[in-house]
Amino acid sequence: EPEVTQTPSHQVTQMGQEVILRCVPISNHLYFYWYRQILGQKVEFLVSFYNNEISEKSEIFDDQFSVERPDGSNFTLKIRSTKLEDSAMYFCASRANSGNTIYFGEGSWLTVV
Amino acid sequence: KNEVEQSPQNLTAQEGEFITINCSYSVGISALHWLQQHPGGGIVSLFMLSSGKKKHGRLIATINIQEKHSSLHITASHPRDSAVYICAVKAPQGGSEKLVFGKGTKLTVNP
């Protein structure tokens, strides 16, 4: 079964460092998402991406965050200058043009120290 | 803004028991997802519902659009069903793309 893959599975970074989380969505999917889950809390929406541009973003997704689809297969989330409160599990997800089923990756644990 | 509430927060069962997890939401939706988050943290989509009922193996999901309520049932529960079960909803067609998540129900099935 096709799946969304994410790398790295776990990253530890110093506060203030830039981090790039990578995702390979399912190949024929057109909608892409990033969500995050702080330990012990609900999963929260960060951003959705369609037709090579951001279609929606949450208030969490401030100027420190950016997304890119650099080569037609990867979908990346960049955090420019990480803060302690960015420590969370980050999930990439994708869906096809038709239908509402969303497929999630296994997540990337980010720990900011 | 849609509020998604799940109950119970924690559920412990003996192997073989019938399990029900509930989800209610405050605003009309186009779809409701039941997701399973396993101990490693990864999320797997179990069902996507917009009406009625769906069944997959020992899992059954129902939704009542008028009452803004959905249930996930597990028949003949097994220790491998132990996980966090999460309900998430999507706004009506033409609205927001994002999913709004509940807090999850942690299920532990003892042998």
Side-chain angles (χ1 to χ4, degrees), chain A residues 31 33 35 37 41-45 48 55-56 58 89 91 95 99-107 109, chain B residues 3-5 30-31 33 35 37-38 40-45 48 86 90 93 95-99 101-103:
Chain A
Y31 292 83
Y33 312 88
Y35 288 84
Q37 185 179 31
Q41 296 187 23
K42 290 184 187 185
V43 177
E44 303 171 286
F45 170 78
S48 59
S55 50
E56 187 176 0
S58 71
M89 177 79 107
F91 292 101
R95 75 168 179 92
N100 278 316
T101 301
I102 294 180
Y103 297 84
F104 287 84
E106 285 287 308
W109 267 113
Chain B
E3 300 290 338
V4 180
E5 299 291 335
S30 60
H33 295 256
L35 308 158
Q37 186 168 32
H38 51 77
I43 293 176
V44 174
S45 184
M48 191 276 296
I86 303 173
K90 185 171 176 290
Q93 293 292 351
S96 171
E97 269 290 315
K98 70 181 182 186
L99 292 180
F101 286 71
K103 285 187 178 177

Side-chain angles (χ1 to χ4, degrees), chain B residues 19-80:
Chain B
I19 304 290
T20 296
I21 298 170
N22 296 299
C23 174
S24 59
Y25 51 92
S26 56
V27 178
I29 61 171
S30 60
L32 181 143
H33 295 256
W34 279 104
L35 308 158
Q36 181 191 57
Q37 186 168 32
H38 51 77
I43 293 176
V44 174
S45 184
L46 298 175
F47 294 103
M48 191 276 296
L49 293 162
S50 52
S51 64
K53 177 178 171 177
K54 285 190 176 178
K55 184 175 189 295
H56 185 248
R58 293 181 295 106
L59 301 179
I60 303 166
T62 63
I63 189 168
N64 185 319
I65 297 294
Q66 286 74 32
E67 294 188 2
K68 296 185 177 64
H69 180 268
S70 175
S71 293
L72 176 69
H73 305 285
I74 305 174
T75 62
S77 58
H78 190 277
R80 64 174 174 267

Side-chain angles (χ1 to χ4, degrees), chain A residues 7-8 11 17-23 34 66 68 75-80 82 108 110:
Chain A
T7 54
Q11 182 163 352
Q17 294 296 304
E18 176 182 283
V19 160
I20 297 176
L21 304 178
R22 301 179 195 280
C23 170
W34 283 101
S66 62
E68 247 190 351
F75 179 52
T76 61
L77 175 69
K78 183 193 289 186
I79 309 174
R80 262 178 267 283
T82 49
S108 293
L110 175 65

Side-chain angles (χ1 to χ4, degrees), chain A:
Chain A
E1 185 174 323
E3 58 182 19
V4 176
T5 57
Q6 289 186 239
T7 54
S9 55
H10 190 193
Q11 182 163 352
V12 180
T13 190
Q14 294 274 348
M15 191 169 56
Q17 294 296 304
E18 176 182 283
V19 160
I20 297 176
L21 304 178
R22 301 179 195 280
C23 170
V24 179
I26 295 172
S27 63
N28 61 342
H29 285 189
L30 298 178
Y31 292 83
F32 312 113
Y33 312 88
W34 283 101
Y35 288 84
R36 80 169 185 191
Q37 185 179 31
I38 294 170
L39 191 63
Q41 296 187 23
K42 290 184 187 185
V43 177
E44 303 171 286
F45 170 78
L46 290 178
V47 66
S48 59
F49 191 89
Y50 172 73
N51 202 24
N52 285 320
E53 61 183 20
I54 290 174
S55 50
E56 187 176 0
K57 60 183 180 179
S58 71
E59 56 274 12
I60 303 167
F61 194 89
D62 62 21
D63 291 344
Q64 292 300 310
F65 290 87
S66 62
V67 289
E68 247 190 351
R69 190 160 159 78
D71 56 13
S73 63
N74 289 285
F75 179 52
T76 61
L77 175 69
K78 183 193 289 186
I79 309 174
R80 262 178 267 283
S81 176
T82 49
K83 303 188 280 280
L84 295 176
E85 53 265 37
D86 293 328
S87 295
M89 177 79 107
Y90 288 82
F91 292 101
C92 175
S94 69
R95 75 168 179 92
N97 192 37
S98 60
N100 278 316
T101 301
I102 294 180
Y103 297 84
F104 287 84
E106 285 287 308
S108 293
W109 267 113
L110 175 65
T111 303
V112 182
V113 296

